[in-house]
Amino acid sequence: MNRSSSPYPHPHPHPQPPGLPSLKGVVFASVVGSVLVLAAAVLFALLPGALSEAADFRAARPCSEVAVAEKGDCLSEWPATVVSTETGRSNKAVTNWVTVDLSPEEPSFRIRMRGDGPVWRELAPGDRVTVFTWRDRVWQLGSGELRQDTTETPDREPTVRLAVGLVLLIVGTVFLRGAGWLHRRRATRATDTPTVQVVVVMAATLLASGVAATAAAATDTVWLVLLVAAAGCATVWAATALLLRGLARRRTA
């Protein structure tokens, strides 16, 4: 017995119009933006103490130039004698160590040098050196006119971390904003995405990131960095919005 065909047509899924943003694109932009913003938040959470310490170190003066009450934060110098030098290796990383004696009454201690510098290459047991300290940390070792930093030296790493955090925050925000824009285009089934619009947004993102990174490298004052970065981003995005609006009017004219 032959089955009669159904009088109702079988539903067929509507093919996605060419040029319509895909759901994968929306999800990808959302995930990338969220990860970048979260990474920026983690970097910012680790910043305050490190930035304050680096600023204090750069502002420190030799102990001979400050009052006795301020000597805890000044730069001290101590004569010492080299006991031994050694090189350690861990996971292909090479570390150079110097063991010194400050006096016969005090125990010897090791100093981890930064890199393979001029002082490290010249040292031998029995050599007289100068130990430079700040807040009970050896930040530099001197031999004659030569100087070499140790791994305890407060450096520009907090500034780099601040710059990276600002760039991640800006780029992550752009990705999240782009995810919302793609979602709206899917909802309205809009398929026309001018290439110039994407290029302008990318250029604006690079420019805003550059302004923020430059501000972080130019000053240690966090509030000033944030103010300059915010003003730069606001100016860049306002100009971008006006440019995109003008391009849209030209297309529809």
Side-chain angles (χ1 to χ4, degrees):
M1 182 177 183
N2 296 330
R3 292 183 179 180
S4 59
S5 60
S6 172
Y8 302 101
H10 294 287
H12 294 284
H14 295 287
Q16 177 174 297
L20 185 69
S22 67
L23 181 60
K24 289 182 179 180
V26 177
V27 174
F28 176 78
S30 300
V31 171
V32 172
S34 299
V35 170
L36 294 180
V37 171
L38 180 60
V42 172
L43 287 176
F44 291 149
L46 300 174
L47 271 176
L51 281 173
S52 175
E53 182 181 67
D56 291 345
F57 175 72
R58 285 190 288 273
R61 294 181 297 165
C63 290
S64 58
E65 300 178 4
V66 300
V68 176
E70 302 175 0
K71 284 187 178 294
D73 271 350
C74 63
L75 304 174
S76 302
E77 301 180 16
W78 306 91
T81 303
V82 176
V83 176
S84 64
T85 60
E86 59 183 299
T87 300
R89 288 178 173 80
S90 177
N91 296 328
K92 298 183 179 180
V94 178
T95 54
N96 298 321
W97 297 88
V98 179
T99 302
V100 300
D101 261 339
L102 289 179
S103 68
E105 294 79 18
E106 297 183 14
S108 305
F109 61 93
R110 293 204 309 167
I111 303 171
R112 184 176 178 179
M113 306 301 294
R114 176 171 293 179
D116 183 16
V119 173
W120 163 257
R121 290 193 295 267
E122 298 293 331
L123 290 183
D127 287 349
R128 297 293 291 173
V129 293
T130 302
V131 175
F132 297 89
T133 63
W134 178 72
R135 291 184 179 178
D136 297 325
R137 294 160 56 181
V138 178
W139 66 276
Q140 197 173 62
L141 197 64
S143 177
E145 298 298 323
L146 301 177
R147 299 287 185 272
Q148 183 176 343
D149 290 346
T150 73
T151 56
E152 295 291 324
T153 307
D155 52 18
R156 301 287 291 178
E157 181 182 350
T159 301
V160 175
R161 196 182 304 168
L162 175 61
V164 172
L166 289 172
V167 171
L168 290 178
L169 180 62
I170 293 171
V171 177
T173 302
V174 171
F175 267 95
L176 292 176
R177 180 67 178 85
W181 178 74
L182 291 174
H183 178 69
R184 286 194 299 273
R185 295 185 69 81
R186 279 183 57 83
T188 58
R189 303 187 71 79
T191 58
D192 55 328
T193 306
T195 303
V196 66
Q197 186 172 0
V198 178
V199 173
V200 168
V201 172
M202 291 177 60
T205 303
L206 291 175
L207 181 58
S209 299
V211 170
T214 302
T219 177
D220 293 325
T221 308
V222 178
W223 68 265
L224 183 58
V225 173
L226 297 179
L227 179 63
V228 173
C233 288
T235 303
V236 170
W237 293 122
T240 302
L242 292 175
L243 178 59
L244 292 177
R245 191 173 301 173
L247 293 174
R249 282 199 296 265
R250 289 182 58 183
R251 289 198 311 270
T252 57

